[in-house]
């Protein structure tokens, strides 16, 4: 509840189900929003399975868990039925499956996705490389801008974006 004359807000802690008061000098109400999927077909239906947003802490945990699951599945030896002899074709299919499991795509070029891409690189080179040294070199992480815009990091200050590396046509260009 909002009491503008008293410059006070009464909030409810959703975890403890208790109310508490906050006094303020200036009140800024910033309503959250739903992640924009740019009406990309299949995104909403695949959320939490193959599509992960990065808006809440549990999203980061989902991403980490799913990536580790992919590494675990890629590290498993090929399954062969008893009495069956592996063929060149089955070995090639297994390699394709490993490549698929170790391909991750970061969509978007805003500040959150750029920060995530940096953290992802650290996660892969510092943690995953120790746990799966034979697989880490097979990882592919292509960056995909969410829209066609040569200035990917559009929401940052102009002086920052002028020094940023921008992904253009699949290659990094330095705009300076």
């Amino acid at each position: 509840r909002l009491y503008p004359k008293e410059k006070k807000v009464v909030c409810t802690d959703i975890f403890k189900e208790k109310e508490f008061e906050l006094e303020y000098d200036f009140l800024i109400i910033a309503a959250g929003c739903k992640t924009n999927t740019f009406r990309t077909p299949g995104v909403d239906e695949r959320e939490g399975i193959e599509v992960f947003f990065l808006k809440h802490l549990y999203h980061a945990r989902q991403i980490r868990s799913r990536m580790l699951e992919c590494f675990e599945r890629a590290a498993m030896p090929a399954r062969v039925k008893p009495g069956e002899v592996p063929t060149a074709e089955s070995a090639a299919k297994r390699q394709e499956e490993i490549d698929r499991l170790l391909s991750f795509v970061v969509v978007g070029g805003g500040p959150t996705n750029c920060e995530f891409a940096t953290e992802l690189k650290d996660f892969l080179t510092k943690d995953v490389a120790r746990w799966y040294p034979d697989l880490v070199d097979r990882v592919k992480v292509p960056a995909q801008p969410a829209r066609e815009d040569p200035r990917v990091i559009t929401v940052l200050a102009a002086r920052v974006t002028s020094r940023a590396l921008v992904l253009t046509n699949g290659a990094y260009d330095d705009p300076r």
Side-chain angles (χ1 to χ4, degrees):
R1 294 179 304 273
L2 177 62
Y3 300 99
K5 289 180 184 172
E6 294 87 9
K7 291 191 168 191
K8 182 172 36 173
V9 171
V10 176
C11 305
T12 303
D13 183 322
I14 62 170
F15 299 107
K16 297 178 182 175
E17 297 180 10
K18 289 186 177 181
E19 288 190 349
F20 60 95
E21 293 182 3
L22 290 175
E23 294 181 5
Y24 62 87
D25 293 321
F26 297 95
L27 178 65
I28 299 171
I29 299 175
C33 68
K34 184 165 173 30
T35 302
N36 189 350
T37 63
F38 301 93
R39 293 188 217 120
T40 305
V43 169
D44 289 330
E45 299 81 25
R46 305 303 296 165
E47 181 181 355
I49 302 165
E50 294 159 342
V51 174
F52 299 92
F53 298 120
L54 197 50
K55 196 167 195 73
H56 305 286
L57 181 58
Y58 76 88
H59 289 146
R61 289 181 180 136
Q62 281 182 316
I63 293 168
R64 185 180 191 279
S65 293
R66 179 67 173 131
M67 289 185 75
L68 290 176
E69 177 189 344
C70 289
F71 274 95
E72 289 169 5
R73 290 174 57 199
M76 288 180 157
R79 287 181 253 160
V80 181
K81 294 178 185 173
E84 187 178 284
V85 178
T87 64
E89 183 180 333
S90 66
K93 282 184 181 180
R94 176 65 183 148
Q95 294 307 310
E96 286 175 18
E97 175 70 1
I98 291 171
D99 289 340
R100 185 188 68 76
L101 287 166
L102 300 180
S103 295
F104 308 98
V105 179
V106 178
V107 178
T112 302
N113 287 10
C114 291
E115 177 70 19
F116 173 74
T118 303
E119 292 298 326
L120 177 59
K121 179 182 181 281
D122 289 346
F123 175 63
L124 292 170
T125 57
K126 293 178 182 173
D127 296 323
V128 175
R130 285 182 301 152
W131 305 326
Y132 301 99
D134 53 329
L135 294 176
V136 76
D137 290 336
R138 295 184 66 175
V139 174
K140 293 180 186 73
V141 187
Q144 297 292 322
R147 58 193 152 106
E148 294 296 321
D149 188 344
R151 285 186 47 215
V152 177
I153 312 170
T154 57
V155 295
L156 297 177
R159 137 179 119 172
V160 173
T161 58
S162 68
R163 295 173 190 248
L165 291 177
V166 178
L167 180 69
T168 309
N169 298 327
Y172 284 102
D173 294 326
D174 188 342
R176 288 181 278 179

